[in-house]
Amino acid sequence: MTTEASSWTPSSWRALPAAQQPDWPDQGALDDVLKRLSTRPPLVFAGEVRQLTSTLAEVAAGKAFLLQAGDCAESFEDFTADVIRDKLKVILQMAVVLTYGAGVPVVKMGRIAGQFAKPRSSATEVVDGVVIPAYRGDMVNDMTADASSRIPDPGRLQRAYDQSASTLNLLRAFTKGGFADLNQVHTWNQEFVATSAEGQRYERIAAGIERALRFMAACGIDLSSEATLHQVDFWTSHEALILGYEEALTRQDSLTGLWYDCSAHLVWIGDRTRQHDGAHLEFFRGINNPIGVKLGPTSTPDEVLELCERLNPDRIPGRLSLITRLGADRVEELLPPLIRAVRDSGHPVLWVCDPMHGNTFVSAGGRKTRHLDRVLAEIGAFFRAHRAEGTWPGGVHVELTGDDVTECLGGAEEVLDSQLDLRYLTACDPRLNGRQSLDLAYRVAELLRGG
Ligand code: PEP
Ligand code: CO
């Protein structure tokens, strides 16, 4: 925020310990890339980012709901128009289910156009008896499990920037150029979804929306002039993990003199990098974007209050989202004390539930997976806790893809343990497929209605 109190610069984080940074082998090559990136056009501009802060302030105040969704990790390989379009389709579908089912405006945000860096619980892994560096996301190294593929390559920062720019360009075209028009509500239902129970239920909602649009037109309402029916605001977000990259894209707004990280509209701090004396907190305190912090099961009320004070000392509504990922088994015990502490302090936070990261386990066949029942259980407990404390359960943060993958278990069209190998394609954590994502949206719509 405006940081007269202690001097902040886009590089002041460099004086502090930065967790989860790659061991770049060639500092000169890294510096060259970062220098070049610092002269490239920003991906988003300050005015948009400020608009998102006001939008999230509405969400924090209980007037709207945030749907933040996308890959665990975007990939350089899996980069086509169809992949981007299908991810957008499933998010638009979920937003329709939530808006229609609960009558609440939905703010749509992707984990997209920049979600390329991963924190890891271990810096190395053992493959066939050999210790190699862990995969840290396509922005850093290659997933292929051999030592040379895992050497961090700064050229990948440039490639992540380029892919983010193209992705964002297509998203802007889709969301402003007719694809996200509410009259297209049927076309967002992909075939593998449409033939399922979840997809048919969606068809009925889509038919209802079409009827409503026809009804309004028949009443003489000029729908063509209603921009909100034909375009959507779609925001980008990612975990701002690799601080050199984020610094290179941080720019001073010529209108206000304030600093913005122009790599995305919203950036968040992961559960592994939220140390109070760490470099991530230092970097984040000075950028004026809306920001998130992931809160895992080790978060204490005191720590969370300290985060609020450090990251939002001016108590700007919409500035700070707290994204809890506590695990279905522990949320009931761990969440209420956090909510009470923040509520009683008067900090205007937006509470978001990440029901994915606290519910990962290894299947009998050795696949990292999640069961949709546990994911829904965490969301249910999140809603109950907020309802009990009188706070607004403001959003969900989920890992999903438009593809027909078999990475998470369960759902109305159940994915079984024995099927995980069929289409397990994620670059990192297991994602919900299109049908499971709709299942989740129906459940959240029920919870929003108070069911
Ligand atoms: C993630 O969002 O992919 C992630 C690593 O989350 P967390 O920081 O909550 O573990
Ligand atoms: Co993940």
Side-chain angles (χ1 to χ4, degrees):
M1 310 273 59
T2 41
T3 48
E4 303 83 33
S6 45
S7 58
W8 179 92
T9 69
S11 62
S12 55
W13 63 270
R14 289 180 182 273
L16 295 162
Q20 298 280 344
Q21 302 304 291
D23 222 344
W24 302 103
D26 181 346
Q27 192 62 40
L30 174 66
D31 291 344
D32 286 348
V33 172
L34 293 179
K35 195 164 165 222
R36 191 162 64 224
L37 282 175
S38 70
T39 65
R40 289 286 193 264
L43 296 176
V44 302
F45 88 98
E48 294 178 283
V49 174
R50 280 194 287 272
Q51 196 193 327
L52 177 59
T53 303
S54 331
T55 302
L56 294 179
E58 295 282 295
V59 181
K63 295 180 191 144
F65 190 75
L66 172 68
L67 172 61
Q68 187 177 13
D71 284 311
C72 179
E74 288 175 273
S75 115
F76 289 170
E77 279 306 304
D78 207 17
F79 175 41
T80 64
D82 288 1
V83 165
I84 298 165
R85 183 201 58 203
D86 292 347
K87 224 167 292 168
L88 180 63
K89 275 184 177 177
V90 72
I91 294 174
L92 291 174
Q93 281 191 294
M94 292 173 80
V96 157
V97 167
L98 290 168
T99 314
Y100 192 81
V104 178
V106 174
V107 177
K108 300 164 244 340
M109 184 182 291
R111 287 174 61 113
I112 200 165
Q115 176 55 22
F116 290 103
K118 300 312 299 172
R120 302 318 301 252
S121 19
S122 168
T124 55
E125 64 177 308
V126 180
V127 178
D128 299 332
V130 184
V131 181
I132 61 171
Y135 170 63
R136 290 186 177 274
D138 277 6
M139 185 187 246
V140 176
N141 57 9
D142 190 302
M143 244 179 116
T144 310
D146 62 58
S148 65
S149 302
R150 295 289 172 82
I151 298 171
D153 170 7
R156 289 175 165 270
L157 297 170
Q158 177 73 49
R159 207 166 152 194
Y161 166 85
D162 292 340
Q163 183 164 329
S164 299
S166 312
T167 302
L168 186 50
N169 179 56
L170 195 63
L171 287 169
R172 290 188 195 276
F174 278 147
T175 53
K176 301 296 176 188
F179 182 81
D181 190 310
L182 209 46
N183 289 296
Q184 300 293 322
V185 65
H186 277 294
T187 63
W188 305 335
N189 211 6
Q190 293 194 74
E191 198 172 327
F192 82 93
V193 178
T195 49
S196 68
E198 297 93 326
Q200 312 247 300
R201 191 169 166 191
Y202 176 80
E203 282 297 317
R204 290 193 290 277
I205 293 176
I209 290 171
E210 282 194 336
R211 266 200 309 280
L213 291 173
R214 279 203 303 275
F215 171 75
M216 285 188 284
C219 291
I221 299 167
D222 177 13
L223 298 178
S224 63
S225 65
E226 293 295 332
T228 51
L229 294 179
H230 310 297
Q231 302 186 344
V232 304
D233 287 332
F234 189 85
W235 309 98
T236 61
S237 70
H238 64 259
E239 176 174 350
L241 182 72
I242 309 298
L243 290 172
Y245 176 85
E246 304 299 335
E247 176 191 338
L249 286 167
T250 296
R251 308 294 158 77
Q252 194 166 23
D253 175 33
S254 56
L255 283 176
T256 59
L258 297 175
W259 292 92
Y260 290 88
D261 181 349
C262 295
S263 70
H265 298 112
L266 178 145
V267 281
W268 76 83
I269 305 178
D271 188 46
R272 293 168 189 78
T273 47
R274 57 180 169 75
Q275 301 81 8
H276 292 294
D277 48 2
H280 289 82
L281 240 72
E282 172 60 18
F283 176 74
F284 271 73
R285 83 179 169 92
I287 56 169
N288 286 268
N289 304 57
I291 60 174
V293 186
K294 293 281 205 89
L295 299 176
T298 61
S299 316
T300 65
D302 284 348
E303 273 174 6
V304 174
L305 283 181
E306 170 89 20
L307 284 168
C308 292
E309 282 300 326
R310 293 279 297 283
L311 294 171
N312 194 13
D314 300 332
R315 303 192 173 205
I316 296 168
R319 154 77 174 166
L320 182 61
S321 294
L322 297 177
I323 308 166
T324 56
R325 29 86 89 224
L326 302 167
D329 296 334
R330 304 204 59 199
V331 58
E332 229 161 291
E333 156 207 351
L334 298 174
L335 184 55
L338 303 182
I339 296 177
R340 279 178 217 132
V342 175
R343 181 198 60 196
D344 296 346
S345 75
H347 268 282
V349 309
L350 164 48
W351 291 100
V352 181
C353 175
D354 166 357
M356 313 298 292
H357 289 89
N359 296 304
T360 316
F361 67 97
V362 178
S363 74
R367 292 287 194 187
K368 201 154 85 154
T369 190
R370 293 154 172 163
H371 199 294
L372 185 63
D373 289 350
R374 305 310 294 155
V375 168
L376 298 182
E378 176 149 0
I379 298 177
F382 170 84
F383 269 80
R384 280 194 301 281
H386 282 287
R387 292 259 144 89
E389 303 302 335
T391 43
W392 174 241
V396 288
H397 177 122
V398 288
E399 290 183 342
L400 55 72
T401 170
D403 299 335
D404 186 12
V405 299
T406 55
E407 298 171 5
C408 290
L409 301 168
E413 305 276 316
E414 193 168 0
V415 173
L416 302 169
D417 212 318
S418 58
Q419 296 171 321
L420 287 179
D421 281 339
L422 290 178
R423 287 177 304 283
Y424 194 97
L425 304 173
T426 183
C428 195
D429 290 338
R431 304 160 296 176
L432 302 175
N433 66 30
R435 290 185 300 257
Q436 292 167 327
S437 302
L438 279 184
D439 275 330
L440 182 144
Y442 296 127
R443 181 68 194 125
V444 173
E446 268 169 36
L447 289 165
L448 280 168
R449 283 199 302 269

